[in-house]
C-alpha cells in the first residue's frame, strides 16, 4: 500500500487543534485561499514529495485484482478511478505513458486522499503483459464482449480500461483474453453510445468484488 508522509502542513489554528497535531505553518482562512487551487479550501494544505517513478512489476498479480489504464487522459477521470480503486481495495494501477499525470493537481483533488493508498505505475502496457506471459487473466471492456453479469470465473487479474474517445487500443486489446461488456437495459433500447470510463470502472470493479464475496 502506498503511504506518503507530508513534508509540511499548512493549516488554520482551528484545524491543528481539532486534529491534535502540533502546529507547523499556521495561516488564516484568507491566506489559505490565496495559496490553494480551490475557491473554498478545507482548512488545510500539505506538501508531499513526489514519489520516484515506479515501473517495477509487483509480484503476485495473479492473486489480486489490479487496473490498467490505456491512455485515460482526463485528470478528473483518473482521479476518480484512483478513488474507486481505493474503495475496492485495489492496490495497483498500471498506467500507459500517455495516461494523465497522476500528480496533476486536478487528479490529486479528485482522489480525495486515495492516492496515498494506491500504487501508481507508468509503463508500456504491452511490455507489462509480455512479462506476465499469460500467467494473469487480462480483462477488458468492449462493445462486443460477453456480458459482465454472464462472464464466468471472474475473480483476480488485471482489468483494462480504455481511452475516453477510442477505447482500448488494438495493441493492448491483443493481450486481452477475457472481453467484457457492460450491458445497457433493457436490451435493444436506444441509449447513450457509451459510459464514462470512471463510471464503467466502478461498475466493473463492483461486480468483481461481488463475485468474490459470493465465492467465499
Amino acid at each position: 500500500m502506498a503511504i506518503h508522509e507530508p513534508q509540511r502542513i499548512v493549516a488554520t489554528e482551528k484545524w491543528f487543534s481539532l486534529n491534535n497535531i502540533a502546529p507547523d505553518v499556521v495561516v488564516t482562512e484568507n491566506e489559505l485561499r490565496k495559496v490553494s487551487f480551490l475557491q473554498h479550501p478545507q482548512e488545510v494544505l500539505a506538501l508531499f514529495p513526489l514519489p520516484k517513478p515506479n515501473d517495477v512489476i509487483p509480484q503476485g498479480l495473479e492473486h489480486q485484482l489490479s487496473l490498467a489504464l490505456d491512455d485515460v487522459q482526463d485528470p478528473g477521470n483518473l482521479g476518480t478511478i484512483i478513488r474507486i480503486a481505493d474503495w475496492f481495495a485495489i492496490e495497483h494501477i498500471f498506467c500507459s505513458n500517455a495516461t494523465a499525470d497522476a500528480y496533476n493537481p486536478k487528479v490529486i483533488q479528485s482522489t480525495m486522499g486515495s492516492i496515498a493508498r494506491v500504487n501508481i505505475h507508468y509503463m508500456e502496457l504491452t511490455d507489462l503483459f509480455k512479462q506476465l506471459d499469460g500467467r494473469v487473466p487480462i480483462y477488458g471492456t468492449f462493445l462486443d464482449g460477453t456480458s459482465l453479469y454472464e462472464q464466468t470465473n471472474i475473480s483476480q487479474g488485471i482489468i483494462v480500461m480504455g481511452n475516453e474517445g477510442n477505447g482500448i487500443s488494438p495493441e493492448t486489446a491483443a493481450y486481452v483474453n477475457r472481453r467484457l461488456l457492460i450491458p445497457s437495459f433493457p436490451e435493444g433500447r436506444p441509449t447513450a453510445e457509451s459510459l464514462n470510463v470512471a463510471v464503467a470502472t466502478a461498475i466493473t470493479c463492483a461486480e468483481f468484488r461481488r463475485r468474490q464475496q459470493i465465492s467465499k
Side-chain angles (χ1 to χ4, degrees):
M1 179 180 293
I3 299 176
H4 306 294
E5 295 292 336
Q7 290 183 331
R8 181 63 51 86
I9 298 177
V10 179
T12 62
E13 185 174 355
K14 176 183 175 183
W15 186 91
F16 283 117
S17 177
L18 288 175
N19 289 275
N20 197 28
I21 295 176
D24 186 359
V25 178
V26 178
V27 293
T28 66
E29 291 185 3
N30 186 50
E31 289 171 330
L32 200 61
R33 279 194 293 271
K34 291 180 179 180
V35 296
S36 172
F37 286 103
L38 302 178
Q39 187 174 357
H40 302 289
Q42 298 180 343
E43 297 190 335
V44 60
L45 293 173
L47 178 65
F48 292 84
L50 278 176
K52 294 180 180 179
N54 188 353
D55 58 359
V56 176
I57 299 176
Q59 297 296 313
L61 289 180
E62 62 271 26
H63 303 303
Q64 58 185 294
L65 189 62
S66 306
L67 291 173
L69 306 183
D70 190 14
D71 297 1
V72 171
Q73 296 179 341
D74 182 83
N77 282 336
L78 177 56
T80 302
I81 290 171
I82 293 171
R83 190 174 176 183
I84 291 165
D86 183 27
W87 184 262
F88 288 109
I90 294 172
E91 295 188 4
H92 298 283
I93 298 179
F94 300 95
C95 300
S96 67
N97 290 322
T99 293
D101 178 10
Y103 303 102
N104 176 304
K106 290 184 179 179
V107 177
I108 298 292
Q109 179 184 339
S110 297
T111 72
M112 297 297 288
S114 289
I115 197 166
R117 291 179 292 272
V118 180
N119 297 289
I120 312 296
H121 310 261
Y122 279 85
M123 60 184 62
E124 292 294 337
L125 295 184
T126 53
D127 291 343
L128 166 67
F129 300 144
K130 286 176 185 176
Q131 291 187 53
L132 294 176
D133 195 27
R135 294 182 289 107
V136 179
I138 308 296
Y139 303 89
T141 53
F142 298 88
L143 293 177
D144 62 350
T146 300
S147 170
L148 174 65
Y149 309 113
E150 298 174 1
Q151 180 76 247
T152 59
N153 299 322
I154 63 172
S155 178
Q156 311 292 8
I158 299 176
I159 303 171
V160 181
M161 305 305 297
N163 172 270
E164 290 87 347
N166 301 317
I168 298 173
S169 67
E171 295 79 12
T172 300
Y175 291 90
V176 173
N177 47 41
R178 303 192 185 185
R179 299 170 71 94
L180 305 175
L181 165 70
I182 300 174
S184 60
F185 290 93
E187 185 177 354
R189 173 183 173 274
T191 187
E193 182 178 327
S194 62
L195 288 171
N196 170 274
V197 64
V199 172
T201 301
I203 293 171
T204 305
C205 291
E207 178 62 13
F208 270 68
R209 290 310 195 203
R210 186 187 73 85
R211 296 283 192 95
Q212 290 174 1
Q213 287 296 109
I214 292 174
S215 65
K216 287 184 178 179

